[in-house]
Amino acid sequence: SDRSLYFHGAKLRAAYPMSTLMPGCALNVTLLRHGNQLDFGLVASRETIPDVAALASYIEDAFEELDKS
């Protein structure tokens, strides 16, 4: 649904999903949905995924492509 969420009278305007990497993992993707919005949190190992910003860009591109279809 697209109803608004509140905490002590303050409207939730954005969410920033955050997590951590477990031992042996190179990437953690955390999703959080509120209203009509889906927020992504990406945490990556620098050695394995040195350009996590590129991965974020690819995710954005994929959603734009889905939106066109």
Side-chain angles (χ1 to χ4, degrees):
S1 85
D2 62 351
R3 65 182 178 169
S4 297
L5 298 176
Y6 292 85
F7 181 73
H8 289 278
K11 184 177 181 180
L12 177 66
R13 299 175 62 116
Y16 301 94
M18 188 61 93
S19 191
T20 186
L21 289 178
M22 299 301 290
C25 291
L27 175 67
N28 177 287
V29 179
T30 304
L31 300 175
L32 182 61
R33 182 189 69 85
H34 69 280
N36 296 355
Q37 190 163 320
L38 181 63
D39 296 305
F40 284 76
L42 303 175
V43 180
S45 163
R46 287 183 211 172
E47 293 80 30
T48 307
I49 305 173
D51 192 3
V52 72
L55 178 58
S57 178
Y58 301 149
I59 292 171
E60 186 176 350
D61 292 347
F63 271 92
E64 288 176 5
E65 189 175 320
L66 281 171
D67 195 38
K68 291 177 185 175
S69 58

